[in-house]
Amino acid sequence: MKNKKYFVTVVLCLAALNISACGRNKAESEISSETIAAEKNDITNANIEEGTIEFDPVVKVDGSEYTLPINCEDLLADGWEMYSFTGEETIDPQSYAQVSFQRSDALIHTSLVNRSEEEEQLKNLKIESVWLSRDWYEEGGHHSVELPDGITILSTEEDIKNSYGEPTNEEEMQYINESGDCISFSLDDNGECSYLEMNTCGDMDGLKNDTL
């Protein structure tokens, strides 16, 4: 009889331990699920906040493709000429200059950036930004800048959103990829593109405008 009572006691203890373990495993499972769900939500929220899209900073200019940043010398070697500059001019350290390039009837506006601590000649700099306004086209110029998916200065808001989706920054009509490259547009009252720009390598807020 004593052995029987001992056996029952052992069984009850084992059952209690099993119930406790199950409860702990269930709790751990619930915590683990909650943690995973929270992490997924954090990732999703971060993606929404970043609002990045996938694109390469490739621009087609007058039929030629270039990846930003563009070496100024490469553009000059490809038949482009600086408008009103020779390329020998220098700009200050940590500054940029807005320079236009022309080839035949095609025109592009660029920002040449000097991020070094020394003066540099324009021809030795990199182009970090390419932009174009509709005014040039309406005055008889060539719509020479083509962004990814064939978007040009003649594109409408509908065209842009069909290609890129909703903008990262709706107010400023900007699209940004994970590398920080940016495509931005200005639209007129009819929803037509009046200005477009692609830039790379980060913003230029801390740089001096040393346009000559």
Side-chain angles (χ1 to χ4, degrees), residues 137-195:
Y137 172 76
E138 291 180 345
E139 290 172 5
H142 181 53
H143 59 288
S144 51
V145 177
E146 185 177 317
L147 301 178
D149 289 343
I151 297 299
T152 72
I153 199 69
L154 301 181
S155 299
T156 63
E157 180 178 8
E158 183 179 3
D159 296 330
I160 295 166
K161 289 186 175 181
N162 283 341
S163 291
Y164 304 152
E166 291 300 317
T168 308
N169 185 331
E170 181 74 44
E171 186 176 337
E172 297 184 14
M173 196 65 180
Q174 290 182 334
Y175 294 88
I176 302 171
N177 67 13
E178 291 184 352
S179 299
D181 305 315
C182 178
I183 299 174
S184 57
F185 302 92
S186 293
L187 304 172
D188 62 19
D189 294 337
N190 298 319
E192 296 180 336
C193 184
S194 59
Y195 172 89

Side-chain angles (χ1 to χ4, degrees), residues 12 16 19 23 27 58 70 76-77 83 85 94 99 117 122 126 130 142 171 184 191 207:
L12 290 174
I19 291 171
V58 176
I70 309 166
L76 294 172
Y83 193 77
F85 297 105
Q94 298 296 313
V99 178
E117 298 302 326
L122 293 177
K126 291 182 182 293
V130 172
H142 181 53
E171 186 176 337
S184 57
L207 301 178

